Amino acid sequence: MADAKVIPFGEEPRAKRKGKRVGRARTDRTSALAPVGRVLTQAAPEQDAEAPTVPAQAGPAESGRGGAGTSEGDGGWDRKLAHGLNFLRRRITGEYEVDDFGYDQELTDQVVMSALRPLYEKYFRVEVKGVENIPDKGAALIVANHSGTLPVDGLMLQVAVHDHHPAGRHIRMLAADLVFVLPVVNEIARKLGHTLACAEDAQELLERGEVVGVMPEGFKGIGKPFSERYKLQRFGRGGFVQTALRAGAPIVPCSIVGAEEIFPMVGNSRTLARLLGIPYFPLTPTFPWLGPLGVVPLPTKWTIQFGEPIPTDGYPPEAADDPMLMFNLTDQVRETIQHTLYKLLVQRRSVFF
């Protein structure tokens, strides 16, 4: 398989690169359907110049994300087949682009999001609120709580922004270093646009105008016992606030309800964790007792709420080095998320409905 073209940062504006990608995809689809177009053109009589023109209406495949209800008679399946074949050809020949972090937007949009969407819509039935608080353009830092024993909440957050934001924005998640040392997980995370949770990577993404997602609780949040669910852990030293201040990016608090119960962690085998070199080894009512079935999450009902953005562009450049300001902003973000969690829990009818 040929290598994909790598686009270094700063070489081209993001919109220009996206336009090239879209332009090439349209050219491929037009080439694939060209014979059909020529036959229809030859068979159709010339239209009178004075005859009124009836605008073509978009079919189900064009108006909806999944194209539900499209029949073979209107050419919907032909278009899907041509699109799929063109996609496979580009993957084989290497005619697709990735950035310096390994982010593959085409693969993410067409394959990974499609694979995660049934889990998001049908299994967890995620309800999204306040997604309009994420700016339509420019940099933004989304700060969310972290829970669930396995980092499923980060993936569902990515689908929520991808599918529901009015401007169709993508979120670049910051992940722990453990993610990038696991053989298969490393490749998938890079393709999804995840990058190492360090100030340098976050700063570079924000300066490019990207939406960056961070979960400051880290392993303390995702690996906390079930008895401490929805109680936010320490937010580190406020490094995410410093990064946002330096980039002048607004901070958007995000509260996720429902992830805490997918793998109720009732115990932690520290001995096994040390032997395996992982932060914790969870013991749940189903894992490891049921083997592979133990890693199937419970079908809880999720709610993801984005709060009002906290602006940072009004601070002077030296504000990023003010420890008191960083502490105050960190505490403000943390208290906003915690208060929203409690509010959503009061409104929730049950864990599963």
Side-chain angles (χ1 to χ4, degrees), residues 166-244:
R169 304 209 65 179
H170 297 74
I171 183 172
R172 306 292 295 271
M173 297 298 299
L174 303 180
D177 52 358
L178 178 62
V179 173
F180 301 103
V181 299
L182 299 175
V184 179
V185 176
N186 172 33
E187 294 296 326
I188 297 176
R190 290 291 184 187
K191 295 292 186 183
L192 276 169
H194 299 184
T195 188
L196 188 64
C198 64
E200 292 78 11
D201 287 0
Q203 184 79 24
E204 192 160 8
L205 288 171
L206 289 174
E207 289 176 354
R208 291 181 58 210
E210 299 278 6
V211 177
V212 179
V214 62
M215 295 174 165
E217 291 177 281
F219 291 120
K220 300 187 302 293
I222 195 174
K224 65 177 176 287
F226 187 67
S227 59
E228 297 181 12
R229 60 192 180 277
Y230 298 114
K231 296 179 181 178
L232 291 184
Q233 304 299 300
R234 184 172 173 267
F235 268 21
R237 300 177 181 178
F240 68 91
V241 171
Q242 187 178 47
T243 303

Side-chain angles (χ1 to χ4, degrees), residues 106-119:
E106 183 184 46
L107 183 69
T108 299
D109 290 346
Q110 300 189 23
V111 178
V112 181
M113 289 295 114
S114 297
L116 292 175
R117 197 165 286 124
L119 186 67

